[in-house]
């Protein structure tokens, strides 16, 4: 097993630290920390009080740039590994209603966001996710983007990204997406092996994706990401090695490599996956190792958790500069900006508040018809939550926490305040995965494999309820 903190291919002390025993020892269930507290801690908030309070507080402060997220829930067919909030339908007529209600939500949220003169903060980042945003026709996408541009001012060079289902686009559609101002795209690939694709009900041959990749390059998108999953049915080291070679042959700027978590009791589509053809834990670790080796050898840099990027990609640059951020879309490059989400199940993170929308179309439409925000639950963070969020995000993004700035800002002694958490990370220290000094703690290069498990030591709610077994494993 090689370490993932640098791009040399030499063996090192760090690398030797990672043994299969160690991986088994620390491969425990835990959150992915796209937020802290994690979304399962949100409480019912049907009036959207947490969000409204945070939006209004924001409106009365300086007009700092913000991020927008638009959730498009529709997909034509279901992928059996899916754990997303989506609506499976072939009826494209449903889109018009959805877009109409989205506009109502955008207008209503904007009212709370408007400053004293009615002005709105500029937008520095826009992301379309799903479901499948490319379920929308060219005209529907254009009208939604036009609506957003009419309502919000975008900063020059704003990052505009969209998730692409390769089965729903061709070169002409990609050109249209580029022309709408999207400068980053993400292809959902998962695996190129035909047997695996059949078993997950997502057939998209390598040649099709490679051709799209070529078109995307010619259109000069700033960054092209590819999502992969290991641990899928029928995957094994031999076929996965072929997929990895195919991926690096078309050289996406970023690669997100996720572990498949088989939780059929929670996610209905996963019941269509035959558990007997899923690779076991040891095979999964071998495939993870293969992937890391392949990407590092091919010049990718390890960003954190599941992400790799070419050195010249902005994600790699901000990582090197210590400015990496994390939110509900994973790692990103937009320092300190609030995120406002629109659409079913969308999550917002504004100031001290988190807020999540209702999950079904019927509830979404009913709330908006009733003149409300379509919010289901939320949370207003107290000072302890804010402090722990900073610690956990510093670990997840920079791999280190410096005590002094936090002590100054929060008026605490770090070692006294976090004595229990520091006790919990002793085990990681004893295996060389975490280094502790008087000034702070740092995840070692080998420790990056287990950064989620290290962060868990600082999660108050996990230890209050001792319930981390509900989460997927950290590797
Ligand atoms: S994985 Fe994505 S494309 Fe597939 S069903 Fe789920 S949301 Fe739709």
């Amino acid at each position: 097993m090689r370490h993932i903190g640098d791009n040399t291919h030499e063996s090192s002390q760090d690398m030797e630290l990672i043994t299969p025993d160690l991986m088994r020892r620390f491969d425990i269930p835990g959150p992915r920390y796209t937020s802290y507290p994690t979304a399962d801690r949100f409480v019912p908030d049907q009036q959207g009080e947490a969000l409204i309070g945070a939006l209004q507080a924001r409106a009365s402060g300086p007009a700092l740039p913000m991020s927008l997220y638009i959730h498009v829930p529709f997909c034509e067919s279901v992928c059996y590994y899916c754990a997303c909030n989506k609506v499976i339908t072939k009826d494209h007529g449903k889109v018009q209603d959805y877009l109409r209600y989205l506009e109502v939500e955008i207008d209503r949220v904007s009212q709370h966001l408007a400053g004293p003169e009615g002005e709105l903060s500029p937008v520095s980042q826009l992301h379309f996710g799903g479901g499948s945003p490319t379920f929308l026709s060219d005209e529907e996408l254009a009208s939604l983007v036009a609506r957003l541009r009419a309502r919000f001012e975008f900063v020059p060079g704003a990052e505009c990204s969209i998730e692409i289902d390769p089965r729903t686009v061709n070169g002409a559609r990609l050109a249209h997406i580029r022309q709408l101002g999207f400068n980053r795209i993400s292809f959902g690939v998962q695996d190129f092996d035909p047997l695996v694709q059949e078993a997950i009900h997502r057939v998209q041959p390598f040649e099709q994706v490679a051709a799209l990749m070529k078109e995307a390059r010619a259109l000069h998108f700033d960054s092209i990401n590819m999502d992969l999953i290991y641990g899928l049915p029928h995957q094994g080291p031999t076929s996965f090695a072929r997929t990895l070679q195919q991926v690096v042959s078309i050289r996406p700027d970023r690669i997100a490599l996720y572990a498949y978590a088989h939780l059929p009791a929670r996610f209905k589509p996963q019941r269509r996956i035959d558990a007997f053809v899923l690779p076991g834990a040891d095979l999964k670790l071998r495939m993870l190792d293969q992937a890391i080796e392949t990407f590092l050898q091919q010049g990718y840099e390890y960003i954190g958790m599941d992400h790799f990027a070419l050195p010249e990609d902005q994600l790699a640059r901000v990582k090197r500069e210590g400015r990496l951020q994390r939110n509900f879309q994973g790692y990103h490059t937009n320092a300190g900006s609030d995120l406002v989400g629109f659409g079913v199940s969308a999550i917002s993170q504004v100031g001290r508040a988190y807020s999540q929308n209702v999950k079904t179309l019927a509830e979404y439409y009913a709330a908006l018809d009733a003149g409300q925000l379509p919010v289901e639950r939320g949370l207003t963070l107290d000072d302890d939550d804010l402090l722990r969020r900073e610690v956990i995000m510093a670990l997840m993004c920079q791999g280190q926490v410096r005590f002094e700035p936090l002590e100054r800002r929060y008026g605490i002694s770090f070692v006294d305040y976090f004595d229990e958490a520091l006790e919990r990370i002793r085990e990681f220290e004893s295996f060389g995965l975490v280094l502790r000094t008087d000034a702070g703690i740092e995840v070692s290069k080998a420790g990056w494999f287990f950064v989620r498990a290290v962060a868990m030591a600082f999660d108050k709610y996990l230890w209050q309820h001792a319930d981390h077994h509900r989460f997927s494993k950290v590797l």
Side-chain angles (χ1 to χ4, degrees), residues 73-86 88 130-132 163 165 167 190 202:
F74 306 105
C75 303
E76 278 212 3
S77 77
V78 68
C79 311
Y80 294 161
Y81 58 84
C82 182
C84 303
N85 187 271
K86 76 275 172 196
I88 305 297
S132 304
E163 294 167 12
D165 179 341
R167 299 167 299 175
Q190 327 316 349
R202 187 177 175 119

Side-chain angles (χ1 to χ4, degrees), residues 169-244:
V169 296
N170 54 23
R173 287 212 77 191
L174 280 183
H176 182 253
I177 285 167
R178 183 76 183 98
Q179 189 239 324
L180 289 177
F182 288 99
N183 45 28
R184 285 148 210 267
I185 52 175
S186 176
F187 288 116
V189 166
Q190 327 316 349
D191 190 293
F192 282 125
D193 185 82
L195 183 62
V196 176
Q197 290 193 351
E198 200 76 45
I200 60 174
H201 201 235
R202 187 177 175 119
V203 175
Q204 45 187 31
F206 169 69
E207 294 69 26
Q208 183 188 355
V209 177
L212 285 174
M213 191 73 185
K214 213 167 149 193
E215 304 268 8
R217 284 269 175 251
L219 290 163
H220 301 292
F221 284 97
D222 294 346
S223 183
I224 304 173
N225 176 74
M226 198 165 275
D227 283 348
L228 302 176
I229 303 181
Y230 67 97
L232 291 172
H234 295 294
Q235 268 181 340
T238 309
S239 76
F240 197 56
R242 264 196 312 271
T243 285
L244 293 172

